[in-house]
Amino acid sequence: MKYLKSQMKQLIKDNQELQAKLDKLREEHSLEKNFALKALYHSEVAEGGKYQLAYQALDKPKD
């Protein structure tokens, strides 16, 4: 599975819990948004993370 910034932004936009985690990551580690997005992807999406299915569903074409 490949990291796509646009998909990650959409996933976070649709999920309050991920928004809070992104804000916490940025604050705790003084990260720029792009780096925090990538870190969140690796911790919550990649390799069977909690949000992997939701992330993959964003990649499917809509009928």
Side-chain angles (χ1 to χ4, degrees), residues 21-32 36 39:
K21 287 183 180 194
L22 179 66
D23 291 340
K24 186 177 178 182
L25 258 178
R26 290 182 73 191
E27 184 179 315
E28 284 182 2
H29 301 285
S30 300
L31 294 173
E32 293 179 21

Side-chain angles (χ1 to χ4, degrees), residues 1 44-52:
M1 186 169 50
E44 300 292 337
V45 177
E47 304 300 324
K50 182 178 177 181
Y51 297 96
Q52 184 177 33

Side-chain angles (χ1 to χ4, degrees), residues 1-62:
M1 186 169 50
K2 186 175 182 182
Y3 170 78
L4 295 171
K5 183 178 170 183
S6 60
Q7 275 181 235
M8 196 60 195
K9 286 173 104 176
Q10 184 63 45
L11 183 65
I12 290 169
K13 181 181 174 188
D14 296 341
N15 188 298
Q16 292 282 10
E17 183 180 349
L18 283 177
Q19 287 176 26
K21 287 183 180 194
L22 179 66
D23 291 340
K24 186 177 178 182
L25 258 178
R26 290 182 73 191
E27 184 179 315
E28 284 182 2
H29 301 285
S30 300
L31 294 173
E32 293 179 21
K33 187 173 183 177
N34 290 335
F35 292 122
L37 280 171
K38 213 167 218 187
L40 196 60
Y41 167 80
H42 286 290
S43 67
E44 300 292 337
V45 177
E47 304 300 324
K50 182 178 177 181
Y51 297 96
Q52 184 177 33
L53 293 176
Y55 181 84
Q56 288 174 329
L58 293 172
D59 192 30
K60 294 193 170 132
K62 302 210 182 344

